[in-house]
Amino acid sequence: MSTEMEPLSIDRAIGQKILLAFEGKDDLPGEIRDVIRKVRPGGFTLYRALNIENPAQVHQLTQALQQIALEEGLSPFLIAADQEGGQLMAIGEGTTQLPGNLALGAAGSTELAHQAGVVLGRELAAIGINIDYAPCCDVNVNPHNPVVGTRSFGQDPRKVAALSAAMVAGIQASGVAAAAKHFPGHGDTASDSHHGVPVVPHRLERLREVELPPFAAAIRAGAKLVMTAHLALPEVDGRDDLPATLSASILQGLLRRELGFSGLIVTDALDMRAILQGMSIEQVAVSAVSAGIDLLLLGPSQTSPASIYNRLLESTQQGELDTESFQASTRRIKALKDWLGKQALPPELDVVGCAAHQAVATEIAGRSITLVRDQGGLLPLRLQSGQRMAVILPRPLDLTPADTSSYVSPALAQELRRYFSTVDEYLLPHAPQDQDIAALLGQVQKYSLLVLCTLNAYSQPDQASLVKASIQTGIPCVVAALRMPNDLAAFPDAPTFVCTYSILEPSMRALAQALTGIIPFKGRLPVTIPGLYTAGHGLVT
C-alpha cells in the first residue's frame, strides 16, 4: 500500500492525528463520509456496541472504510480495536476466546503469551483491523483496583514485563501493531478513570521499580504504540489533577527521553471524565497534542470531530501549537502506515476461531486453573447414585466501560454435565439481595454438592453474603472465583477454593475438567490474596 507523501500541509497533518468513532455496522452513515472529507482522519477505532456483530461483518466494514480512503486520496486508515482477550473483547462472537492476561499470569508462560499475541494479531489482520489496543502492561498491585483486574498479567513487575513483551512480539509478528497500555501504569489505582482522575502517589523511584518495567520491556520488544492513562502523578509533575495524557513531563520526559520510545503515543478514549474535567473536548485535544500526543482517540460518545479539527488548525495558525512538532508527529504516523503496508497479505477469514487457535486458548485455560485450597477434601468431585449438584453463579455484568462480560453466559453447568447427569444451574443477580439468597437456600437443600461461582465478590458484599450463607448450610461447597482471586478474602472460611480468571468457554471447560480430575491443577496465583496467600501459591495436582 502506498501512503501520502511528506511533508503534509498543516491542515492535512492535523487530520492524521484523529482517530474517529461512529455508530454503524453495515452501511456507513452519510455524515461519516462528510467528516472524512472534512477532517481527512488517520483512522478509526471500532467499538463492540457500535460496530461489531461478527468477523465477516467486521471484515466488510473495514474493507468499506479502506475503499473510502482510496476514493478520497488518503493513505490507508489505521483501524483499531480493544481485543485484549479475557474480559475485554471488542470482537467477541466467532473469534478465539482467549482466557486473558491474568490467566496467562497464572500459567506463567511467555511462550503462551507469545502464542496468544499471534492469535490476536492473526485474527485481527484477517478482518482488517491493523492496531490492537493491547497488551495491558499494568502491574496489578492494588486489590481494590476497579478497572484493571484480570486485564493485568499480575503483580510481579518482572513477570508482567516478560509476558507483555512476549505478547507484543506475537501481535506484531502477525502484521498488526500493538499498543502497550495504560502508560505510566494503571495497576495501583483505587478509582476508574472513566469516572474521575485516579491519583498514583508514588515517587519516581517506585515507578521505576513497579509501574515502568513492563512498558520498558514492551518498548524493547518493538511496540509500535503506547496508550496513555488518564491518571495523575503528583510526585512527577507536581499536580494531582493533571492526567498523564496532558502531561509533557510524563510523555516527553518519562516515555520519550527516559524509556526511549520513538513510536506513536495514542490517548485513551477522550470521552472519559478523567480527561474532560469540565474542559471542552476541543481544549483537551489542544492540550494533549501540546503535551506530545500523536493520535487522539475519540470515544464513542463524541460527535464533534470537525470542531476538534478546526480548533487544532486554529491553534497552529495562531502559534499556540508548534508546527515542527506537528510534522514530526506526522512522520511517526507515516512510519507506522509504511510498516503496516509492508506486512504480508492478511490470512483468510477462516483463520478466525480456527482449530489451531482454539488449541492455544485450551492450553492457556488448562494451565491457568488454580487450586488454592481443598480443606474439605472434595476434589476430584464425585456423586453417588441419586445425588445432585447445583452450580450457582451471579449474572455477568460489565463492571467498567472496559469490559465485555455482559455478552458472556458462563457454561460451567453445561461443561459439568459432560461428567455428571444431575447438574442444575441457578443464575442469580450480580448483587443478590436477601430475598434472592433466601429463595436459593430454600432450593439447595435437595443437593449433595454446591459449586458456587463469584465475580469480584471481594468488592461485592452481596455475593460474599451468598457464599457465607451457602457454606453455613453444611452442604459441601466448592467456591470458584471466575475473575479475581481476592474474593477468598471476603469469605476466608471457604474450605475448597479455585480460580479461573475468566468466564469464557475454554476456562469453564478447563475448570470442569480440573474439578473432576480429568486434568491436573497447574496454575499459580498471579496476585496475592490479602491476608491469606501470596502470589505464586497453588496446589499442583
Side-chain angles (χ1 to χ4, degrees):
M1 297 181 182
S2 62
T3 55
E4 294 176 289
M5 298 298 291
E6 62 171 330
L8 293 178
S9 61
I10 286 297
D11 60 331
R12 299 286 289 271
I14 289 171
Q16 287 294 292
K17 298 177 76 66
I18 297 174
L19 298 177
L20 298 178
F22 66 94
E23 183 173 0
K25 297 179 179 179
D26 297 309
D27 296 330
L28 295 175
E31 60 267 24
I32 291 301
R33 289 178 176 267
D34 293 338
V35 170
I36 291 172
R37 294 187 183 100
K38 167 64 176 177
V39 174
R40 307 181 73 81
F44 294 84
T45 300
L46 302 185
Y47 292 91
R48 186 159 180 168
L50 299 183
N51 311 114
I52 311 297
E53 286 185 357
N54 56 62
Q57 168 265 325
V58 177
H59 181 256
Q60 291 180 349
L61 181 61
T62 58
Q63 293 300 105
L65 288 171
Q66 298 295 16
Q67 181 60 35
I68 292 174
L70 183 63
E71 293 170 357
E72 295 297 324
L74 298 173
S75 58
F77 288 133
L78 303 173
I79 303 180
D82 281 300
Q83 190 75 347
E84 295 180 5
Q87 76 178 59
L88 184 55
M89 298 276 285
I91 301 91
E93 179 184 343
T95 60
T96 300
Q97 303 296 286
L98 293 167
N101 287 357
L102 203 61
L104 284 163
S109 169
T110 54
E111 179 184 354
L112 281 179
H114 184 273
Q115 291 180 28
V118 170
V119 171
L120 291 169
R122 280 173 57 80
E123 296 195 356
L124 289 179
I127 61 178
I129 291 174
N130 52 33
I131 294 177
D132 191 1
Y133 294 143
C136 181
C137 297
D138 304 310
V139 181
N140 193 348
V141 293
N142 189 334
H144 296 284
N145 192 312
V147 68
V148 173
T150 62
R151 301 167 67 196
S152 168
F153 291 108
Q155 74 175 45
D156 185 322
R158 291 172 299 176
K159 293 178 180 178
V160 174
L163 294 167
S164 296
M167 182 169 280
V168 165
I171 292 170
Q172 295 190 169
S174 303
V176 170
K181 64 187 185 185
H182 306 82
F183 187 83
H186 216 312
D188 194 10
T189 59
S191 60
D192 187 342
S193 52
H194 291 89
H195 308 299
V197 184
V199 176
V200 177
H202 305 303
R203 294 181 180 274
L204 189 54
E205 292 76 14
R206 144 64 194 251
L207 296 172
R208 288 172 176 148
E209 292 177 358
V210 178
E211 278 78 13
L212 297 183
F215 292 98
I219 291 167
R220 288 193 298 270
K224 298 297 181 182
L225 302 97
V226 168
M227 176 182 283
T228 62
H230 302 327
L231 55 80
L233 294 179
E235 293 293 333
V236 174
D237 57 19
R239 292 179 56 178
D240 61 6
D241 61 346
L242 183 67
T245 302
L246 307 182
S247 170
S249 61
I250 293 173
L251 301 186
Q252 301 296 334
L254 281 184
L255 184 54
R256 292 285 188 212
R257 288 193 287 274
E258 181 163 331
L259 297 189
F261 181 61
S262 59
L264 290 174
I265 305 176
V266 57
T267 71
D268 204 342
L270 292 180
D271 59 351
M272 295 160 66
R273 291 184 183 178
I275 194 69
L276 292 173
Q277 299 184 72
M279 290 192 293
S280 70
I281 182 59
E282 294 81 7
Q283 290 173 304
V284 168
V286 172
S287 296
V289 171
S290 179
I293 289 293
D294 295 299
L295 293 172
L296 300 165
L297 195 171
L298 301 196
S301 64
Q302 287 164 337
T303 57
S304 55
S307 63
I308 294 171
Y309 172 89
N310 289 335
R311 180 68 181 91
L312 289 171
L313 180 59
E314 179 183 284
S315 296
T316 58
Q317 292 171 338
Q318 295 178 351
E320 187 177 350
L321 292 175
D322 180 59
T323 301
E324 184 176 339
S325 296
F326 250 104
Q327 293 294 1
S329 180
T330 304
R331 288 192 291 272
R332 287 190 289 268
I333 296 169
K334 182 181 184 300
L336 175 59
K337 291 191 173 187
D338 285 344
W339 180 83
L340 291 170
K342 294 173 183 176
Q343 300 306 300
L345 290 175
E348 296 296 325
L349 196 58
D350 60 7
V351 77
V352 180
C354 68
H357 291 182
Q358 299 289 358
V360 174
T362 296
E363 185 173 0
I364 295 169
R367 290 173 61 176
S368 67
I369 306 298
T370 305
L371 176 58
V372 177
R373 65 161 64 144
D374 185 24
Q375 296 171 350
L378 296 180
L379 303 179
L381 298 181
R382 295 290 183 263
L383 288 180
Q384 303 298 319
S385 177
Q387 292 183 326
R388 302 183 65 83
M389 177 192 309
V391 174
I392 302 160
L393 54 92
R395 190 181 305 277
L397 298 178
D398 295 340
L399 300 184
T400 78
D403 192 348
T404 52
S405 297
S406 64
Y407 292 86
V408 181
S409 297
L412 179 58
Q414 176 183 325
E415 294 296 337
L416 284 168
R417 290 186 190 115
R418 298 176 184 267
Y419 313 105
F420 305 102
S421 60
T422 52
V423 179
D424 296 326
E425 179 183 68
Y426 292 86
L427 185 63
L428 272 65
H430 185 81
Q433 301 303 297
D434 290 344
Q435 61 269 27
D436 300 312
I437 296 174
L440 177 71
L441 295 180
Q443 293 286 326
V444 299
Q445 299 303 321
K446 60 188 176 185
Y447 294 98
S448 302
L449 180 66
L450 306 180
V451 179
L452 289 159
C453 301
T454 61
L455 293 168
N456 283 26
Y458 185 65
S459 56
Q460 176 44 263
D462 297 316
Q463 285 186 37
S465 296
L466 169 63
V467 173
K468 292 174 183 177
S470 299
I471 292 173
Q472 289 171 1
T473 65
I475 302 170
C477 294
V478 174
V479 182
L482 304 189
R483 285 181 74 143
M484 292 302 296
N486 307 331
D487 289 3
L488 182 60
F491 37 80
D493 295 331
T496 301
F497 184 72
V498 300
C499 302
T500 71
Y501 318 101
S502 169
I503 62 176
L504 298 178
E505 183 178 339
S507 295
M508 295 299 92
R509 184 182 308 116
L511 175 59
Q513 292 173 339
L515 290 176
T516 55
I518 304 299
I519 64 172
F521 287 93
K522 294 183 178 180
R524 296 186 179 275
L525 289 174
V527 294
T528 290
I529 300 177
L532 294 170
Y533 298 96
T534 59
H537 171 79
L539 302 178
V540 179
T541 60

